[in-house]
């Protein structure tokens, strides 16, 4: 929007986030949307107020540094169950309907579409460096969010275990193991 219409970057950020928040309100709820809009507002102010610090002039190193820093930050945000708006909000909204993926990789998919579209407006090599940043960021975010452990387990004890198992299998696409147990007191 900045390059096409000349809008300030902060105005673009908050405008897009308001539209995405309307889309995400029902699946994510008011609390997530409120945090998202707060984060977008702060980011909008910071982006338009403070100058960008250049760490390196080498685009490959910049891609690596940016990917690592972005991945750590997004991983922390995801680990505490929050969001920062933008494509992160869109990824979490999509995951509400298609929960088979982790946030980091859904965010990678959404951001890849944005970068591919921007590749037409900018130089193709810039888009390639952005893809490197996204790949590194997603891997780091996934590591920070999930840690070394790649699998999770949940024990559900219920009188309606068969109904719950069917829902988990069908709606979530996850495996279920049934164990018979006898409680002792």
């Amino acid at each position: 929007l900045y390059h096409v219409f000349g809008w300030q970057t902060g105005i673009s950020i908050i405008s897009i986030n308001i539209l995405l928040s309307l889309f995400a309100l029902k699946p994510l709820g008011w609390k997530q949307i409120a945090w998202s809009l707060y984060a977008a507002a702060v980011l909008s102010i910071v982006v338009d107020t403070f100058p960008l610090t250049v760490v390196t002039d080498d685009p490959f190193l910049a891609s690596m540094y940016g990917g690592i820093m972005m991945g750590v930050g997004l991983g922390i945000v995801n680990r505490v169950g929050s969001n920062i708006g933008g494509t992160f909000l869109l990824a979490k909204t999509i995951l509400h309907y298609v929960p088979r993926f982790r946030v980091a990789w859904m965010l990678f998919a959404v951001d890849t579409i944005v970068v591919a579209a921007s590749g037409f407006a900018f130089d193709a090599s810039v888009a390639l460096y952005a893809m490197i940043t996204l790949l590194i960021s997603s891997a780091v975010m996934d590591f920070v969010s999930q840690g070394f452990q790649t699998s999770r387990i949940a024990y559900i004890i219920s009188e309606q275990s068969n109904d719950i198992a069917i829902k988990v299998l069908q709606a979530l696409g996850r495996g279920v193991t049934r164990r018979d147990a006898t409680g002792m007191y």
Side-chain angles (χ1 to χ4, degrees):
L1 293 173
Y2 170 78
H3 288 281
V4 175
F5 299 116
W7 292 8
Q8 284 184 300
T9 305
I11 299 294
S12 300
I13 290 171
I14 197 69
S15 299
I16 290 170
N17 274 282
I18 289 170
L19 292 174
L20 287 173
S21 294
L22 295 173
F23 173 70
L25 181 59
K26 185 177 180 185
L28 299 183
W30 280 104
K31 187 176 180 181
Q32 282 283 318
I33 298 306
W35 277 112
S36 173
L37 289 174
Y38 171 75
V42 170
L43 180 61
S44 298
I45 293 167
V46 169
V47 164
D48 284 345
T49 305
F50 297 102
L52 181 65
T53 302
V54 176
V55 178
T56 180
D57 291 326
D58 182 338
F60 184 72
L61 287 177
S63 297
M64 292 181 66
Y65 289 139
I68 291 168
M69 290 187 294
M70 186 166 73
V72 169
L74 291 173
I76 292 169
V77 167
N78 188 49
R79 192 168 184 122
V80 298
S82 191
N83 74 73
I84 58 165
T87 54
F88 194 97
L89 179 63
L90 184 57
K92 287 188 95 169
T93 303
I94 294 169
L95 285 173
H96 179 79
Y97 297 108
V98 186
R100 294 175 187 246
F101 303 98
R102 293 198 293 255
V103 176
W105 298 107
M106 182 57 71
L107 181 60
F108 176 76
V110 171
D111 283 342
T112 296
I113 294 168
V114 173
V115 167
S118 70
F120 293 108
F122 302 103
D123 187 88
S125 63
V126 173
L128 182 58
Y129 286 123
M131 289 300 301
I132 292 168
T133 301
L134 293 179
L135 187 59
I136 293 170
S137 172
S138 295
V140 171
M141 178 186 173
D142 200 34
F143 178 75
V144 170
S145 296
Q146 303 293 323
F148 286 111
Q149 190 174 2
T150 59
S151 63
R152 301 285 186 252
I153 189 168
Y155 290 103
I156 301 171
I157 301 168
S158 173
E159 297 283 332
Q160 291 83 27
S161 60
N162 288 332
D163 295 336
I164 294 170
I166 290 169
K167 287 286 188 187
V168 169
L169 288 167
Q170 292 175 349
L172 299 179
R174 302 289 184 192
V176 175
T177 301
R178 180 181 174 180
R179 301 180 110 182
D180 291 318
T182 305
M184 300 180 75
Y185 299 93

Coordinates of all heavy atoms in Angstrom, one line a residue, residues 20 70-71 74 84-91 94 103-119 127 130-135 137-138 141:
L20 N -8.7 -7.6 8.9 CA -8.4 -9.0 9.3 C -9.1 -9.3 10.6 O -9.6 -10.4 10.8 CB -6.9 -9.3 9.4 CG -6.1 -9.4 8.1 CD1 -4.6 -9.5 8.4 CD2 -6.6 -10.6 7.3
M70 N 12.9 -12.7 14.0 CA 11.5 -12.8 13.8 C 11.0 -14.1 14.4 O 9.9 -14.1 15.0 CB 11.1 -12.6 12.3 CG 9.6 -12.5 12.1 SD 9.2 -12.0 10.4 CE 9.7 -13.4 9.4
G71 N 11.7 -15.2 14.1 CA 11.2 -16.5 14.6 C 11.2 -16.6 16.1 O 10.3 -17.1 16.7
L74 N 8.2 -14.3 17.3 CA 6.9 -14.9 17.0 C 6.7 -16.2 17.8 O 5.6 -16.5 18.2 CB 6.8 -15.2 15.5 CG 6.6 -14.1 14.6 CD1 6.7 -14.5 13.1 CD2 5.4 -13.3 14.8
I84 N 0.0 -11.2 17.1 CA 0.5 -9.8 16.8 C -0.2 -9.2 15.6 O 0.1 -8.2 15.1 CB 2.0 -9.7 16.6 CG1 2.4 -10.7 15.4 CG2 2.8 -10.1 17.8 CD1 3.8 -10.4 14.9
G85 N -1.3 -9.8 15.2 CA -2.1 -9.3 14.1 C -1.5 -9.7 12.8 O -0.6 -10.6 12.7
G86 N -1.9 -9.1 11.7 CA -1.4 -9.3 10.4 C -1.6 -10.7 9.9 O -2.6 -11.4 10.2
T87 N -0.6 -11.2 9.2 CA -0.7 -12.6 8.7 C -0.7 -13.6 9.8 O -1.2 -14.7 9.6 CB 0.4 -12.9 7.7 OG1 1.7 -12.6 8.3 CG2 0.3 -12.1 6.4
F88 N -0.2 -13.3 11.0 CA -0.2 -14.2 12.1 C -1.7 -14.4 12.5 O -2.1 -15.5 12.8 CB 0.6 -13.5 13.3 CG 0.9 -14.5 14.4 CD1 2.1 -15.1 14.5 CD2 0.0 -14.7 15.4 CE1 2.4 -16.0 15.5 CE2 0.3 -15.6 16.5 CZ 1.5 -16.2 16.5
L89 N -2.4 -13.3 12.6 CA -3.9 -13.4 12.9 C -4.6 -14.2 11.8 O -5.4 -15.0 12.2 CB -4.5 -12.0 13.0 CG -5.9 -11.9 13.3 CD1 -6.3 -12.5 14.7 CD2 -6.4 -10.4 13.2
L90 N -4.3 -14.0 10.6 CA -4.9 -14.8 9.5 C -4.5 -16.2 9.6 O -5.4 -17.1 9.4 CB -4.4 -14.2 8.1 CG -5.1 -14.8 6.9 CD1 -6.6 -14.7 7.0 CD2 -4.6 -14.2 5.6
A91 N -3.3 -16.6 9.9 CA -2.9 -18.0 10.1 C -3.6 -18.6 11.2 O -4.1 -19.8 11.1 CB -1.4 -18.0 10.3
I94 N -7.2 -19.3 10.1 CA -7.3 -20.5 9.2 C -7.2 -21.8 10.0 O -7.9 -22.7 9.8 CB -6.3 -20.4 8.1 CG1 -6.6 -19.2 7.2 CG2 -6.2 -21.7 7.3 CD1 -5.4 -18.9 6.2
V103 N 1.1 -23.5 13.9 CA 1.0 -22.1 13.6 C 2.1 -21.6 12.7 O 2.0 -20.9 11.7 CB 0.9 -21.2 14.9 CG1 0.9 -19.7 14.5 CG2 -0.3 -21.5 15.7
A104 N 3.4 -22.0 13.1 CA 4.5 -21.6 12.3 C 4.4 -21.9 10.8 O 4.8 -21.1 10.0 CB 5.8 -22.2 12.9
W105 N 4.0 -23.1 10.5 CA 3.9 -23.5 9.1 C 2.7 -22.9 8.4 O 2.8 -22.7 7.2 CB 4.1 -25.0 9.0 CG 5.4 -25.3 9.6 CD1 5.7 -25.9 10.8 CD2 6.7 -25.0 9.0 NE1 7.0 -26.0 11.0 CE2 7.7 -25.4 10.0 CE3 7.1 -24.3 7.9 CZ2 9.1 -25.2 9.7 CZ3 8.5 -24.2 7.6 CH2 9.4 -24.6 8.6
M106 N 1.6 -22.7 9.1 CA 0.5 -22.0 8.4 C 0.9 -20.6 8.2 O 0.5 -20.0 7.1 CB -0.8 -22.1 9.3 CG -2.0 -21.4 8.7 SD -2.4 -22.1 7.1 CE -3.0 -23.7 7.6
L107 N 1.6 -19.9 9.1 CA 2.1 -18.6 8.9 C 3.0 -18.5 7.7 O 3.0 -17.6 6.9 CB 2.8 -18.1 10.2 CG 3.3 -16.7 10.1 CD1 2.2 -15.7 9.9 CD2 4.0 -16.3 11.4
F108 N 3.9 -19.5 7.6 CA 4.8 -19.6 6.4 C 4.0 -19.7 5.1 O 4.3 -19.0 4.2 CB 5.7 -20.9 6.6 CG 6.6 -21.1 5.4 CD1 7.7 -20.3 5.2 CD2 6.3 -22.1 4.5 CE1 8.5 -20.5 4.1 CE2 7.1 -22.3 3.4 CZ 8.2 -21.5 3.2
A109 N 2.9 -20.5 5.1 CA 2.1 -20.6 3.9 C 1.4 -19.3 3.5 O 1.5 -18.8 2.4 CB 1.0 -21.7 4.1
V110 N 0.9 -18.6 4.5 CA 0.2 -17.3 4.3 C 1.2 -16.3 3.9 O 1.0 -15.5 2.9 CB -0.6 -16.8 5.6 CG1 -1.1 -15.4 5.4 CG2 -1.7 -17.8 5.9
D111 N 2.3 -16.2 4.5 CA 3.4 -15.2 4.2 C 4.0 -15.5 2.8 O 4.4 -14.6 2.1 CB 4.5 -15.1 5.3 CG 4.0 -14.4 6.5 OD1 3.1 -13.6 6.4 OD2 4.7 -14.5 7.6
T112 N 4.1 -16.7 2.4 CA 4.6 -17.1 1.1 C 3.7 -16.5 0.0 O 4.2 -16.0 -1.0 CB 4.7 -18.6 1.0 OG1 5.7 -19.1 1.9 CG2 5.2 -19.0 -0.4
I113 N 2.4 -16.5 0.2 CA 1.5 -16.0 -0.8 C 1.7 -14.5 -0.8 O 1.8 -13.9 -1.9 CB 0.0 -16.3 -0.4 CG1 -0.2 -17.8 -0.5 CG2 -1.0 -15.5 -1.2 CD1 -1.5 -18.3 0.1
V114 N 1.9 -13.8 0.3 CA 2.2 -12.4 0.3 C 3.5 -12.0 -0.4 O 3.5 -11.1 -1.2 CB 2.2 -11.8 1.7 CG1 2.6 -10.4 1.8 CG2 0.8 -12.0 2.4
V115 N 4.5 -12.8 -0.1 CA 5.8 -12.6 -0.7 C 5.8 -12.8 -2.2 O 6.3 -12.1 -3.0 CB 6.9 -13.4 0.0 CG1 8.2 -13.4 -0.8 CG2 7.2 -12.9 1.4
A116 N 5.1 -13.9 -2.6 CA 5.0 -14.2 -4.1 C 4.3 -13.0 -4.8 O 4.7 -12.6 -5.9 CB 4.2 -15.5 -4.3
A117 N 3.2 -12.5 -4.2 CA 2.5 -11.4 -4.8 C 3.4 -10.1 -4.8 O 3.4 -9.4 -5.8 CB 1.2 -11.0 -4.0
S118 N 4.2 -9.9 -3.8 CA 5.1 -8.8 -3.8 C 6.3 -8.9 -4.8 O 6.9 -7.9 -5.2 CB 5.6 -8.5 -2.4 OG 6.5 -9.5 -2.0
G119 N 6.6 -10.2 -5.1 CA 7.6 -10.4 -6.1 C 7.3 -9.8 -7.4 O 8.2 -9.4 -8.2
A127 N 12.2 -10.9 -3.4 CA 11.3 -11.9 -2.9 C 11.9 -13.2 -2.5 O 11.5 -13.9 -1.5 CB 10.3 -12.2 -4.1
A130 N 13.3 -12.7 0.9 CA 12.2 -12.8 1.8 C 11.7 -14.2 2.1 O 11.4 -14.5 3.2 CB 11.0 -11.9 1.3
M131 N 11.8 -15.0 1.1 CA 11.4 -16.5 1.3 C 12.4 -17.1 2.2 O 12.0 -18.0 3.1 CB 11.3 -17.2 0.0 CG 10.2 -16.8 -0.9 SD 8.6 -17.2 -0.1 CE 8.7 -18.9 0.2
I132 N 13.7 -16.8 2.1 CA 14.7 -17.4 3.0 C 14.4 -16.9 4.4 O 14.5 -17.7 5.3 CB 16.1 -16.9 2.5 CG1 16.5 -17.6 1.2 CG2 17.2 -17.2 3.6 CD1 17.7 -17.0 0.6
T133 N 14.1 -15.7 4.6 CA 13.7 -15.1 5.9 C 12.5 -15.9 6.5 O 12.5 -16.3 7.7 CB 13.4 -13.6 5.8 OG1 14.5 -12.9 5.3 CG2 13.0 -13.1 7.2
L134 N 11.5 -16.1 5.7 CA 10.3 -16.8 6.1 C 10.6 -18.2 6.5 O 10.1 -18.7 7.5 CB 9.2 -16.8 5.1 CG 8.6 -15.5 4.7 CD1 7.6 -15.6 3.6 CD2 8.0 -14.8 5.9
L135 N 11.4 -18.9 5.8 CA 11.7 -20.3 6.1 C 12.5 -20.4 7.4 O 12.2 -21.2 8.2 CB 12.6 -20.9 4.9 CG 12.9 -22.4 5.0 CD1 11.6 -23.2 5.0 CD2 13.7 -22.8 3.8
S137 N 12.5 -18.1 9.8 CA 11.6 -17.7 10.8 C 10.7 -18.8 11.2 O 10.4 -19.0 12.4 CB 10.9 -16.5 10.3 OG 9.9 -16.1 11.2
S138 N 10.1 -19.5 10.3 CA 9.1 -20.5 10.6 C 9.8 -21.7 11.4 O 9.2 -22.2 12.4 CB 8.5 -21.1 9.4 OG 7.7 -20.1 8.8
M141 N 10.6 -20.2 14.9 CA 9.3 -20.1 15.6 C 8.8 -21.4 16.1 O 8.3 -21.5 17.2 CB 8.3 -19.4 14.7 CG 6.9 -19.2 15.4 SD 5.8 -18.6 14.2 CE 4.3 -18.7 15.1

